[in-house]
């Protein structure tokens, strides 16, 4: 099995594309979980159910983003050891990842199940959607072990240069999710709860497929049960690399949650509209996220192999590729936004309101091409602290305060509020450029 694929040789563009494409497709299919829920519920249920799924999926997306960030720390560490051909260190890292994520799964599941009602209230959920939101969050919380398990396994495989296997797991699960969605929501009219059951079922299947793959295929180096323990030094490195990325992703998603809570006070239509747009934006940003994650893995391997010039080439090419897609999406949204928003709702008012929000928000899809890729490059070099710092500043000093202030203006529309996100991303971009030019990131490489 080709699990230890090197990303340090060959032409940069084909290597990056070959690694990024399966990751993109896997991310696309994973995003279809929440999108399929919202799409099916939007077509076969009412706006209260749509609001519930939109609000609940924001919470679960935040948890997924944090887990993905931590797993990226494992990906970077494994990639570095692979580039340096340190197989024992790879095995110890994998064992440590399994233990860390197993503990996290148990703790997070208990917390989320017990706090379902509290979280629903904190989100300022519209009265009509409270019952359905609680149902959605509770059922999805029960599936947290599968979310964490899948992302941990995928992080390990991507660190080893294998981005195809996670694609296979998620493809099968996505098909099952859509089928169960249609059965429970369309035929049995179970609404948000049916969508949540479909999501958890498909996540479980994705995780189980991953376990069977790892067990049957094995590794190209020695790995057994004795390695499944927490190695203190490896754990420290995983958290040092992954925690800032997790916090960065978490901050972004937390800002989504806070803004959703702010806008929920504007009524059911605004709540449903924001939920619809967030789902569309998630899809629009997937190519950039895929290239950014590939940059992190390739940078880690090339830095481990002492090839910094090749690592920087990965950054520039990743930005260029994702920028093309971001610009195309932005132009399409300006010309025909309702063709996208109508996919997630039958309510004409929601469709039109969401279209306005999407038109201003979509500028962000261009700006994140630079920020996400640069963040991954810094992280791949072993410096993931700065991405967290500038994300925190942009989120809590610009995006959230601006969104709140705008929402208090009488007669304000979602079109105006939508500019808060690209403005905060622009601030992050300025900070990234200044940091990149200072060359200080190059003095903080440590594994």
């Amino acid at each position: 099995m080709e699990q230890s694929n090197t990303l340090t040789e060959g032409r940069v563009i084909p290597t990056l594309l070959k690694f990024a494409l399966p990751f993109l497709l896997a991310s696309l299919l994973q995003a279809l979980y929440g999108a399929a829920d919202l799409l099916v519920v939007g077509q076969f249920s009412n706006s209260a159910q749509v609001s519930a799924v939109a609000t609940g999926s924001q919470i679960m997306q935040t948890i997924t983003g944090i887990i993905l960030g931590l797993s990226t720390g494992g990906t970077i560490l494994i990639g570095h050891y692979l580039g340096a051909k340190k197989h024992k260190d790879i095995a110890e890292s994998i064992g440590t990842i399994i233990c860390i994520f197993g503990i996290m799964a148990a703790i997070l599941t208990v917390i989320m199940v017990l706090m379902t009602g509290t979280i629903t209230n904190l989100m300022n959920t519209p009265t009509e959607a409270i019952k359905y939101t609680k149902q959605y969050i509770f059922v999805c919380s029960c599936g947290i072990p599968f979310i964490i398990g899948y992302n941990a396994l995928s992080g390990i495989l991507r660190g080893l240069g294998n981005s195809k296997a996670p694609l296979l797991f998620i493809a099968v699960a996505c098909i099952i999710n859509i089928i169960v969605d249609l059965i429970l929501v369309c035929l049995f009219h179970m609404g948000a709860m049916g969508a949540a059951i479909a999501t958890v079922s498909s996540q479980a299947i994705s995780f189980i497929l991953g376990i069977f793959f790892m067990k049957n295929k094995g590794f190209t180096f020695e790995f057994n049960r004795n390695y499944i323990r927490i190695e203190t030094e490896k754990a420290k490195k995983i958290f040092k690399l992954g925690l800032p990325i997790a916090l960065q992703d978490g901050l972004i998603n937390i800002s989504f949650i806070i803004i959703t809570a702010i806008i929920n006070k504007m009524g059911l239509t605004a709540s449903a509209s924001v939920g619809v747009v967030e789902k569309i934006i998630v899809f629009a940003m997937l190519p950039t996220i895929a290239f950014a994650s590939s940059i992190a893995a390739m940078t880690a391997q090339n830095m481990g192999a002492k090839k910094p010039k090749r690592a920087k080439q990965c950054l520039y090419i990743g930005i260029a590729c994702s920028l093309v897609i971001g610009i195309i999406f932005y132009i399409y949204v300006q010309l025909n936004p309702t063709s996208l928003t109508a996919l997630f709702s039958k309510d004409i008012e929601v469709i039109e309101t969401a279209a306005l929000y999407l038109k201003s928000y979509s500028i962000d899809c261009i700006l994140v091409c630079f920020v996400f890729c640069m963040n991954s490059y810094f992280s791949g070099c072993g410096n993931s602290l700065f991405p967290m710092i500038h994300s925190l500043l942009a989120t809590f000093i610009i995006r959230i305060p601006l969104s709140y202030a705008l929402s208090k203006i009488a007669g304000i529309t979602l079109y105006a509020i939508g500019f808060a996100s690209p403005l905060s991303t622009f601030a992050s971009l300025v900070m990234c450029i200044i940091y990149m030019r200072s060359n200080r990131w190059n003095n903080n490489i440590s594994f």
Side-chain angles (χ1 to χ4, degrees), residues 117-139:
T118 302
I119 292 171
T120 301
N121 294 332
L122 288 174
M123 290 298 295
N124 294 322
T125 306
T127 304
E128 305 94 323
I130 289 178
K131 173 185 175 182
Y132 309 122
T133 303
K134 287 181 180 179
Q135 292 173 346
Y136 188 88
I137 294 176
F138 177 80
V139 174

Side-chain angles (χ1 to χ4, degrees), residues 78-297:
I78 292 171
H80 177 84
Y81 287 141
L82 182 63
K85 303 186 187 303
K86 297 181 178 179
H87 292 161
K88 183 180 179 182
D89 286 316
I90 296 175
E92 290 178 348
S93 299
I94 292 173
T96 300
I97 289 170
I98 292 173
C99 292
I100 289 174
F101 282 83
I103 294 170
M104 288 180 58
I107 294 173
L108 268 176
T109 301
V110 172
I111 291 174
M112 288 299 298
V113 167
L114 293 178
M115 294 191 65
T116 296
T118 302
I119 292 171
T120 301
N121 294 332
L122 288 174
M123 290 298 295
N124 294 322
T125 306
T127 304
E128 305 94 323
I130 289 178
K131 173 185 175 182
Y132 309 122
T133 303
K134 287 181 180 179
Q135 292 173 346
Y136 188 88
I137 294 176
F138 177 80
V139 174
C140 286
S141 294
C142 293
I144 285 177
F146 307 126
I147 298 174
I148 293 178
Y150 166 76
N151 281 287
L153 292 176
S154 297
I156 291 169
L157 289 169
R158 290 182 184 118
L160 294 170
N162 186 343
S163 59
K164 294 180 181 178
L167 171 61
L168 175 63
F169 310 151
I170 207 73
V172 174
C174 187
I175 293 171
I176 293 173
N177 180 56
I178 293 173
I179 292 173
V180 178
D181 257 334
L182 291 171
I183 293 173
L184 297 183
V185 179
C186 179
L187 296 181
F188 291 95
H189 307 290
M190 293 179 65
M193 178 177 280
I197 293 172
T199 296
V200 171
S201 301
S202 57
Q203 287 167 342
I205 290 171
S206 180
F207 177 53
I208 291 169
L209 285 175
I211 291 176
F212 274 109
F213 180 85
M214 298 281 274
K215 184 177 180 180
N216 294 332
K217 296 297 183 179
F219 300 98
T220 57
F221 49 85
E222 182 184 359
F223 182 82
N224 53 52
R225 292 181 181 178
N226 294 328
Y227 284 104
I228 303 178
R229 62 182 186 275
I230 295 180
E231 292 285 342
T232 305
E233 289 304 313
K234 298 295 187 298
K236 287 180 180 178
K237 291 177 180 179
I238 289 170
F239 279 107
K240 182 179 179 181
L241 293 167
L243 191 57
I245 299 173
L247 290 175
Q248 171 201 327
D249 292 342
L251 287 170
I252 292 172
N253 283 295
I254 287 171
S255 73
F256 288 161
I257 290 174
I258 293 174
I259 290 171
T260 298
I262 290 171
I263 295 177
N264 276 350
K265 289 186 175 182
M266 297 173 66
L268 188 61
T269 296
S271 173
S273 298
V274 169
V276 166
V277 171
E278 292 294 357
K279 283 292 175 288
I280 295 171
I281 290 294
V282 165
F283 276 97
M285 291 184 178
L286 284 179
T288 299
I289 293 172
F291 279 111
S293 297
S294 300
I295 288 169

Side-chain angles (χ1 to χ4, degrees), residues 61-93:
Q61 185 177 312
T62 299
I63 293 174
T64 301
I66 292 172
I67 297 304
L68 181 59
L70 283 175
S71 70
T72 301
T75 296
I76 293 169
L77 186 62
I78 292 171
H80 177 84
Y81 287 141
L82 182 63
K85 303 186 187 303
K86 297 181 178 179
H87 292 161
K88 183 180 179 182
D89 286 316
I90 296 175
E92 290 178 348
S93 299

Side-chain angles (χ1 to χ4, degrees), residues 148-447:
I148 293 178
Y150 166 76
N151 281 287
L153 292 176
S154 297
I156 291 169
L157 289 169
R158 290 182 184 118
L160 294 170
N162 186 343
S163 59
K164 294 180 181 178
L167 171 61
L168 175 63
F169 310 151
I170 207 73
V172 174
C174 187
I175 293 171
I176 293 173
N177 180 56
I178 293 173
I179 292 173
V180 178
D181 257 334
L182 291 171
I183 293 173
L184 297 183
V185 179
C186 179
L187 296 181
F188 291 95
H189 307 290
M190 293 179 65
M193 178 177 280
I197 293 172
T199 296
V200 171
S201 301
S202 57
Q203 287 167 342
I205 290 171
S206 180
F207 177 53
I208 291 169
L209 285 175
I211 291 176
F212 274 109
F213 180 85
M214 298 281 274
K215 184 177 180 180
N216 294 332
K217 296 297 183 179
F219 300 98
T220 57
F221 49 85
E222 182 184 359
F223 182 82
N224 53 52
R225 292 181 181 178
N226 294 328
Y227 284 104
I228 303 178
R229 62 182 186 275
I230 295 180
E231 292 285 342
T232 305
E233 289 304 313
K234 298 295 187 298
K236 287 180 180 178
K237 291 177 180 179
I238 289 170
F239 279 107
K240 182 179 179 181
L241 293 167
L243 191 57
I245 299 173
L247 290 175
Q248 171 201 327
D249 292 342
L251 287 170
I252 292 172
N253 283 295
I254 287 171
S255 73
F256 288 161
I257 290 174
I258 293 174
I259 290 171
T260 298
I262 290 171
I263 295 177
N264 276 350
K265 289 186 175 182
M266 297 173 66
L268 188 61
T269 296
S271 173
S273 298
V274 169
V276 166
V277 171
E278 292 294 357
K279 283 292 175 288
I280 295 171
I281 290 294
V282 165
F283 276 97
M285 291 184 178
L286 284 179
T288 299
I289 293 172
F291 279 111
S293 297
S294 300
I295 288 169
M298 289 188 70
T299 299
Q301 283 200 24
N302 282 285
M303 285 299 187
K306 309 299 182 184
K307 295 182 178 181
K309 183 177 179 181
R310 179 181 172 89
K312 189 166 284 189
Q313 288 178 330
C314 295
L315 168 64
Y316 296 146
I317 292 170
I319 290 175
C321 291
S322 56
L323 188 59
V324 170
I325 300 172
I327 292 173
I328 291 173
F329 175 78
Y330 172 76
I331 293 173
Y332 181 84
V333 165
Q334 300 309 306
L335 296 175
N336 192 13
T338 55
S339 65
L340 298 177
T341 57
L343 293 173
F344 296 93
S345 179
K346 296 181 295 182
D347 188 320
I348 299 299
E349 191 175 358
V350 170
I351 293 171
E352 295 293 340
T353 303
L356 287 174
Y357 189 54
L358 181 60
K359 288 184 74 172
S360 55
Y361 197 152
S362 61
I363 301 172
D364 211 27
C365 294
I366 296 176
L367 297 175
V368 297
C369 297
F370 298 94
V371 175
F372 285 8
C373 290
M374 293 173 79
N375 282 347
S376 292
Y377 177 74
F378 296 143
S379 298
C381 288
N383 186 349
S384 52
L385 182 60
F386 175 74
M388 181 195 72
I389 293 173
H390 78 69
S391 295
L392 188 151
L393 293 173
T395 298
F396 288 97
I397 293 180
I398 299 176
R399 187 165 194 243
I400 293 174
L402 184 57
S403 296
Y404 179 77
L406 290 173
S407 71
K408 293 298 182 181
I409 299 174
I412 195 74
T413 65
L414 287 185
Y415 178 77
I417 297 175
F419 283 107
S421 183
L423 283 172
S424 67
T425 304
F426 180 75
S428 281
L429 177 57
V430 172
M431 287 185 273
C432 283
I433 292 173
I434 293 172
Y435 190 66
M436 188 80 174
R437 290 173 65 87
S438 73
N439 209 38
R440 292 180 62 185
W441 56 270
N442 201 28
N443 300 321
N444 195 30
I445 299 173
S446 61
F447 285 92

